[in-house]
Amino acid sequence: MKNGIEIRWHGRGGQGAKTAALLLADVAFKTGQNVQGFPEYGPERMGAPITAYNRISADKIRVHSNIYHPDYVVVVDETLLDSVDVTAGLKKTGAIIVNTAKAKEEIAGRLNGYEGRVFTIDARKISMETLGKNFPNSPMLAATVAVSGVMPREKFITEMRASYEHKFAKKPEVIDGNMKALELAFDHLEKAIKSEKMSLTA
Amino acid sequence: MAIKERMSGNEAVSYAIRQINPDVMPAFPITPSTEIPQIVSTYIANGEIDTEFIPVESEHSAMSATIGAEAAGARSLTATSSAGLALMWEELLLAASNRLPLALALVNRTLSGPININCDHSDGMGARDTGWIQIYAENNQEAYDNFLQAYPIAENPNVHLPIMICQDGFITSHAVENIELLEDETVREFVGEYQPEEYLLNPGKPIAVGPYSVSNYAMEGKKNQEIALENAKQVILDVAEKFRAVSGRGYGLFEEYKTEDAEYIMLMIGSAAGTAKQAVDDLRDQGKKVGVLKLRVFRPFPAKEIAEALRHAKAVAILDRCESYNGNGGPLGGEVSAALFRNKVMIEAVNYIYGLAGRDFTVSDACDIFGELEDMVQNGKEVEQYQYVRLRK
């Protein structure tokens, strides 16, 4: 795979990082791309660190190993920063996205000197506001799409609505909340990306 | 019209089962089994197929019930993984020796211990001498395609043997990837209706299944079974040709990737072959003449064909995702070496053990192995003939 991107997700069992990786594969597939979404399994228990991966490419994907030099890393649970080397192998030209209420500068100082772009998002707050519960994976998914640019926002939103309508056919009341979570996360990241670009040109 | 989809390997095989709509599926419904019985039982509950699903209390019973159903004249299958296959062992031999063309969807995972749930081929390789046909897949597409070909191979009158359709645990079984599916109607026409010749529920034509055989006759029975397995080779190729006509996707006993002028060839089974193909492309960009031989059909073992495919190489790396605990290499290592010797193909052959219990295998691992083969042939480097990849020192 020469053209395409590789993403590594870090989360804890039960938080939906695996689901988010599979959803990303799903939505990227619908935009006509070749995809891979897969989890790395350890002992299955709530709260244990888990890793999930995505490859997204215009070419056919043949490699079946884990991802060691990702373009993007997504950290769904900031407490993992203490125990997992989340930036291991992460490309300088890529970015890391961390779910946290803390300031970006504070998080950036805890990333083993990672020199690439750092984005933060308070997915918990967005989820509580839109769903009344802490399901960080929808906002994190939107953040990942916004930062990686794997597909345009409108396309992503349209496909996600279709996915949620299918997935939550028996719980339609959560669809709007999830869609709102995606939009809020996208707004937040677009703003962050814009201000980063401005500070680079300044 | 091909249907473009994305699915995990488990979903892909379940989808194939839905399209085939077999008669009976006994299965042990929880760990160590896979999502396959769960997904198929959902199809049944939704009324999409009318397969009789029998939840049983163990894999020993799952295989026993599958044998019983198949002997009665029903197109039957089961699905399992890892320790589940180990518990079926006694019945696997009965299915083959009674010449019952049933199918088993196997998701290859390691056997204990230490306790571990991840991919290697110990389960399938442990069953290599049970008389089953074994076909392995690189990805979800191949797992799906192979399953569609399972019954036409197994039920062929020259074969009449059970068939195991294998894929790599988690690496393909749980990974969502792109796939092209056939239309239901195309599958039904391709697989056809099951017309058993002799079966238990056949009034007016009684038969016995599994009776005692005295020493004076039992050996001929075993030889006949062996002949059937040999016959399977041609049938597998014939069915693949028919499959190509309906799907556009061709299959052989093995796939040769850029081997034609290759000096160094890596021979392996399963998902790691895709990773090795990437290494081949990277090394070809540097002018190295390397290729991959991905074995699809492990039983019957295409010994002569493999030997011929390797004849003009300088060296082959034989990769086993399974340890034989014999101090002499893995199952593929032993069988490929024997094939080379018998066919007088006297090239260097190094046996590598990789990926046990889910240990990852990367593009750079494959590049290192090709590099070692070249170093051995060109510079006379002493290379251990049986060694481990990525082992913690």
Side-chain angles (χ1 to χ4, degrees):
Chain A
M1 193 183 88
K2 287 202 178 101
N3 310 304
I5 61 162
E6 296 186 314
I7 301 172
R8 188 172 68 212
W9 297 75
H10 294 281
R12 291 188 182 275
Q15 283 176 334
K18 176 198 152 190
T19 308
L22 296 185
L23 271 173
L24 180 59
D26 220 44
V27 70
F29 161 78
K30 288 181 182 162
T31 60
Q33 312 202 58
N34 288 295
V35 299
Q36 242 182 19
F38 58 102
E40 186 180 356
Y41 280 86
E44 287 182 58
R45 55 183 203 271
M46 295 279 279
I50 69 123
T51 314
Y53 303 93
N54 283 118
R55 288 189 176 93
I56 299 171
S57 174
D59 302 336
K60 186 173 160 58
I61 301 169
R62 295 176 303 190
V63 172
H64 276 112
S65 66
N66 293 340
I67 292 167
Y68 298 92
H69 302 286
D71 298 284
Y72 301 97
V73 162
V74 189
V75 182
V76 183
D77 185 321
E78 67 164 295
T79 65
L80 289 167
L81 297 180
D82 299 326
S83 54
V84 179
D85 184 7
V86 295
T87 53
L90 175 59
K91 289 178 187 162
K92 265 191 236 174
T93 50
I96 182 167
I97 309 161
V98 182
N99 172 19
T100 179
K102 298 198 175 85
K104 179 177 134 178
E105 292 66 30
E106 191 182 339
I107 294 298
R110 293 170 62 194
L111 298 176
N112 294 332
Y114 176 61
E115 294 169 22
R117 293 181 298 159
V118 178
F119 294 98
T120 57
I121 177 170
D122 193 346
R124 180 175 186 281
K125 183 160 164 258
I126 291 175
S127 180
M128 292 305 287
E129 277 172 18
T130 53
L131 293 162
K133 283 179 188 148
N134 184 17
F135 290 131
N137 63 358
S138 284
M140 292 312 285
L141 178 60
T144 306
V145 172
V147 171
S148 65
V150 283
M151 70 198 77
R153 176 170 177 163
E154 294 69 37
K155 185 88 185 148
F156 170 69
I157 293 295
T158 312
E159 293 300 348
M160 284 309 296
R161 178 169 282 284
S163 275
Y164 285 144
E165 279 169 359
H166 178 71
K167 190 177 169 202
F168 298 122
K170 288 176 186 150
K171 280 199 288 183
E173 67 279 7
V174 305
I175 295 171
D176 284 346
N178 271 296
M179 292 309 298
K180 184 93 184 123
L182 296 178
E183 299 275 12
L184 283 178
F186 233 106
D187 286 347
H188 172 80
L189 262 303
E190 278 182 349
K191 214 191 281 174
I193 293 164
K194 210 170 169 187
S195 73
E196 191 200 36
K197 275 188 185 144
M198 282 170 67
S199 71
L200 281 175
T201 47
Chain B
M1 265 296 286
I3 306 160
K4 287 195 189 303
E5 259 296 351
R6 76 294 189 199
M7 278 185 178
S8 70
N10 281 332
E11 289 169 333
V13 166
S14 306
Y15 199 82
I17 295 169
R18 183 189 74 70
Q19 293 183 307
I20 295 166
N21 190 12
D23 299 315
V24 182
M25 180 173 190
F28 183 63
I30 56 167
T31 301
S33 191
T34 64
E35 281 175 305
I36 294 170
Q38 180 193 329
I39 300 168
V40 174
S41 57
T42 306
Y43 288 137
I44 296 167
N46 291 344
E48 292 178 61
I49 51 174
D50 58 6
T51 305
E52 184 75 31
F53 187 85
I54 311 176
V56 289
E57 79 283 11
S58 75
E59 286 84 359
H60 191 276
S61 301
M63 186 47 68
S64 298
T66 312
I67 288 171
E70 186 70 46
R75 187 180 266 165
S76 306
L77 82 160
T78 187
T80 194
S81 185
S82 181
L85 186 71
L87 189 52
M88 287 179 182
W89 206 78
E90 180 192 8
E91 275 60 41
L92 293 177
L93 294 138
L94 291 176
S97 58
N98 283 300
R99 309 289 301 278
L100 298 169
L102 51 90
L104 168 66
L106 178 68
V107 169
N108 290 111
R109 295 196 290 114
T110 193
L111 293 171
S112 291
I115 296 176
N116 180 286
I117 59 169
N118 292 293
C119 175
D120 68 33
H121 298 155
S122 334
D123 49 3
M125 288 294 153
R128 69 187 182 272
D129 295 340
T130 55
W132 282 59
I133 297 165
Q134 285 192 337
I135 301 187
Y136 288 81
E138 177 184 322
N139 50 37
N140 58 350
Q141 183 74 62
E142 292 187 7
Y144 170 78
D145 290 349
N146 288 343
F147 207 91
L148 295 182
Q149 294 170 67
Y151 287 115
I153 296 166
E155 292 167 359
N156 184 292
N158 293 327
V159 178
H160 267 243
L161 285 172
I163 187 164
M164 211 175 276
I165 301 298
C166 313
Q167 64 169 313
D168 282 356
F170 294 106
I171 301 170
T172 69
S173 71
H174 285 62
V176 170
E177 295 188 89
N178 299 54
I179 188 169
E180 276 191 20
L181 304 168
L182 300 183
E183 302 274 4
D184 289 358
E185 197 49 44
T186 310
V187 170
R188 275 179 202 142
E189 272 173 36
F190 175 76
V191 178
E193 278 287 315
Y194 183 33
Q195 310 285 355
E197 292 132 77
E198 293 179 312
Y199 51 102
L200 287 171
L201 297 183
N202 190 7
K205 204 182 170 197
I207 57 161
V209 174
Y212 186 84
S213 176
V214 293
S215 301
N216 208 12
Y217 289 99
M219 193 156 158
E220 282 71 22
K222 289 182 185 295
K223 178 58 187 172
N224 280 339
Q225 193 186 323
E226 195 279 326
I227 292 169
L229 200 68
E230 282 185 40
N231 291 346
K233 217 192 270 182
Q234 188 55 46
V235 173
I236 288 167
L237 293 173
D238 294 345
V239 170
E241 200 46 49
K242 283 181 195 145
F243 187 76
R244 186 207 300 271
V246 298
S247 70
R249 291 185 292 277
Y251 291 97
L253 301 170
F254 46 80
E255 180 193 344
E256 291 175 272
Y257 185 75
K258 301 192 178 175
T259 54
E260 203 172 325
D261 64 339
E263 296 172 341
Y264 307 102
I265 294 177
M266 188 173 294
L267 189 158
M268 66 225 297
I269 284 175
S271 61
T275 307
K277 286 176 191 172
Q278 184 63 52
V280 164
D281 285 1
D282 293 353
L283 292 171
R284 287 248 167 203
D285 285 347
Q286 301 167 26
K288 308 280 185 195
K289 289 185 175 174
V290 292
V292 167
L293 190 156
K294 179 186 76 193
L295 190 56
R296 172 178 180 245
V297 178
F298 182 66
R299 286 290 182 265
F301 188 71
K304 202 169 176 323
E305 293 85 347
I306 289 174
E308 288 314 317
L310 296 175
R311 188 173 288 281
H312 302 293
K314 289 180 177 163
V316 57
I318 309 162
L319 268 67
D320 269 296
R321 199 165 200 147
C322 174
E323 173 55 274
S324 275
Y325 301 110
N326 60 19
N328 191 42
L332 258 185
E335 298 203 18
V336 173
S337 300
L340 293 172
F341 182 78
R342 282 205 192 137
N343 292 282
K344 309 282 185 285
V345 178
M346 295 307 168
I347 60 169
E348 296 286 347
V350 184
N351 189 190
Y352 294 88
I353 309 285
Y354 77 104
L356 301 187
R359 178 64 50 90
D360 207 5
F361 181 79
T362 65
V363 173
S364 75
D365 293 332
C367 290
D368 288 350
I369 291 170
F370 280 122
E372 188 166 68
L373 292 186
E374 188 184 52
D375 206 10
M376 173 177 67
V377 170
Q378 293 203 342
N379 309 322
K381 187 197 166 196
E382 289 260 344
V383 170
E384 280 219 53
Q385 296 294 295
Y386 157 47
Q387 54 166 294
Y388 275 57
V389 181
R390 259 191 181 227
L391 186 70
R392 188 171 282 112
K393 301 283 185 230

